[in-house]
Amino acid sequence: MVPAGVRGDGRDERFAQIDLQATALSGLAVIVALIVAWLVATARGQSGNPYGWFLAIAGLTYVLAVAWFRWRG
């Protein structure tokens, strides 16, 4: 049996907040994994460029999102 919060029915403010926090935590986990992968590749003398590009995309997206939400709010 799947809880209603996971299924998505009965969405309310509490579930919206849980969803927002879960999304932020998963994004943080991906960014930390990318940083570790970049550090490992760089320490081995390899190019960390692929990881660096993803980190740059994440950083740019964050800056643009902050600017967007400040402008809209």
Side-chain angles (χ1 to χ4, degrees):
M1 191 140 227
V2 179
V6 176
R7 283 195 317 256
D9 52 351
R11 288 185 69 91
D12 58 0
E13 294 84 18
R14 181 174 169 269
F15 182 75
Q17 186 65 27
I18 291 170
D19 183 53
L20 181 65
Q21 290 173 341
T23 302
L25 184 60
S26 63
L28 181 62
V30 170
I31 290 172
V32 168
L34 283 171
I35 291 170
V36 169
W38 180 83
L39 286 171
V40 169
T42 305
R44 290 182 175 172
Q46 301 168 341
S47 173
N49 235 5
Y51 307 112
W53 278 108
F54 283 117
L55 288 167
I57 291 168
L60 181 62
T61 302
Y62 177 79
V63 168
L64 291 174
V66 167
W68 173 259
F69 290 124
R70 284 183 58 95
W71 178 71
R72 294 225 33 221

